[in-house]
């Protein structure tokens, strides 16, 4: 059971917009800690997608955006492309149990 | 461009110690940042194991702290993971990563900037 909760799967057609939620609690996102997002294709290195809730590293398209509110965060992908099909993970910091970097369980995005 | 690559045995016997090394190219680990490990058991999500910073400070997951040691060899520009008393539950793909930890403001920045491709370690008797 992951500390951050994500839907196991989402899907969308090419060109559409999808969102992936990441729900935490008062000991992580709700305590003010930032959320980070990673994209992962199995067999490859995970890739940092967003940092500080909504900031894109160099090279990440502006089709990817992030928001945070209360105890939750969301990743939005617009203009869906076949190459976006991957697993997406959120990550934050949790103050319980002496502090820890925590991940969501991951969401499989399928491009129909 | 920073590149990381995991290496080590793909099979470890139950109760023994898992040892992995992460070779880094494109950046000197003695210059800054933190260097750590994340694992992914089959069919499950990512789990942070721990990391070691350029200052020598180490951070470990509370759930694994009693069994984990992370060390760095700056002369070889690599860092290592040792996980003792392994069981089948430690079977996973192990990733090494470069982390940024910045505590000057709240909230602090603590995240994984670059990753290796991972290596599967199976624990079996």
């Amino acid at each position: 059971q992951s500390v951050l909760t994500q839907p196991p799967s989402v899907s969308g057609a090419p060109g559409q917009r999808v969102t992936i939620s990441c729900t935490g609690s008062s000991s992580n996102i709700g305590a003010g800690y930032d959320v980070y997002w990673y994209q992962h294709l199995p067999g490859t290195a995970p890739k940092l997608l967003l940092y500080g809730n909504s900031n894109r590293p160099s090279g990440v398209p502006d089709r990817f955006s992030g928001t945070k509110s209360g105890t939750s965060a969301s990743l939005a992908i617009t203009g869906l492309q076949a190459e976006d099909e991957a697993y997406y993970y959120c990550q934050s910091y949790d103050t319980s149990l002496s502090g820890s970097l925590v991940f969501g369980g991951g969401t499989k995005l399928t491009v129909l | 461009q920073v590149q990381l690559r995991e290496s080590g045995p793909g099979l470890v016997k139950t109760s023994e110690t898992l040892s992995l090394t992460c070779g880094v190219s494109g950046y000197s680990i003695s210059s800054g940042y933190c260097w750590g490990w994340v694992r992914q058991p089959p069919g499950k999500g990512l789990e942070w194991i721990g990391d070691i910073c350029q200052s020598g400070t180490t951070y470990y997951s509370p759930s694994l702290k009693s069994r984990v040691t992370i060390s760095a060899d700056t002369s070889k520009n690599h860092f290592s993971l040792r996980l003792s008393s392994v069981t089948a539950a430690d079977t996973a793909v192990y990733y090494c990563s470069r982390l940024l930890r910045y505590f000057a403001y709240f909230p602090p920045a603590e995240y994984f900037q670059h990753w290796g491709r991972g290596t599967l370690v199976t624990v079996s008797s």
Side-chain angles (χ1 to χ4, degrees):
Chain A
Q1 201 76 313
S2 300
V3 173
L4 304 178
T5 301
Q6 298 180 234
S9 64
V10 298
S11 63
Q16 287 189 332
R17 177 181 186 271
V18 297
T19 62
I20 298 173
S21 62
C22 175
T23 303
S25 68
S26 60
S27 63
N28 42 68
I29 300 174
Y33 291 95
D34 282 349
V35 177
Y36 307 88
W37 291 91
Y38 304 90
Q39 180 190 58
H40 185 213
L41 287 92
T44 70
K47 172 186 173 183
L48 175 66
L49 208 56
L50 297 174
Y51 64 94
N53 304 313
S54 59
N55 300 291
R56 289 183 303 276
S58 174
V60 174
D62 60 5
R63 302 187 295 104
F64 296 88
S65 62
T67 59
K68 176 191 147 183
S69 178
T71 59
S72 296
S74 288
L75 168 68
I77 309 171
T78 58
L80 208 55
Q81 300 180 2
E83 66 200 49
D84 299 331
E85 185 162 298
Y87 289 85
Y88 293 83
Y89 295 89
C90 60
Q91 176 248 312
S92 186
Y93 177 86
D94 191 279
T95 60
S96 63
L97 298 174
S98 304
S100 184
L101 300 179
V102 292
F103 288 94
T107 299
K108 172 65 188 301
L109 167 63
T110 300
V111 180
L112 302 171
Chain B
Q1 175 145 349
V2 180
Q3 292 189 315
L4 301 96
R5 185 166 187 172
E6 306 87 353
S7 61
L11 182 62
V12 180
K13 291 188 182 300
T14 303
S15 79
E16 295 190 345
T17 296
L18 179 160
S19 294
L20 295 173
T21 295
C22 181
V24 179
S25 60
Y27 190 85
S28 171
I29 65 171
S30 63
S31 295
Y33 296 101
C34 301
W35 305 88
W37 296 89
V38 173
R39 70 181 182 180
Q40 183 174 30
K44 296 188 178 181
L46 299 170
E47 177 185 23
W48 169 67
I49 299 171
D51 52 275
I52 183 166
C53 298
Q54 174 266 337
S55 62
T57 301
T58 53
Y59 299 88
Y60 295 129
S61 166
S63 65
L64 296 171
K65 186 174 184 176
S66 63
R67 298 194 291 131
V68 172
T69 302
I70 295 175
S71 59
D73 186 336
T74 56
S75 67
K76 296 181 179 178
N77 211 41
H78 73 205
F79 60 101
S80 300
L81 167 70
R82 288 175 57 85
L83 180 66
S84 64
S85 305
V86 296
T87 69
D90 295 309
T91 294
V93 176
Y94 286 76
Y95 299 94
C96 60
S97 177
R98 187 179 91 173
L99 295 85
L100 184 144
R101 286 183 179 268
Y102 187 70
F103 302 108
Y105 306 102
F106 186 86
E110 298 175 275
Y111 62 98
F112 304 84
Q113 290 183 312
H114 300 282
W115 299 67
R117 297 184 64 166
T119 187
L120 174 62
V121 179
T122 301
V123 178
S124 175
S125 56

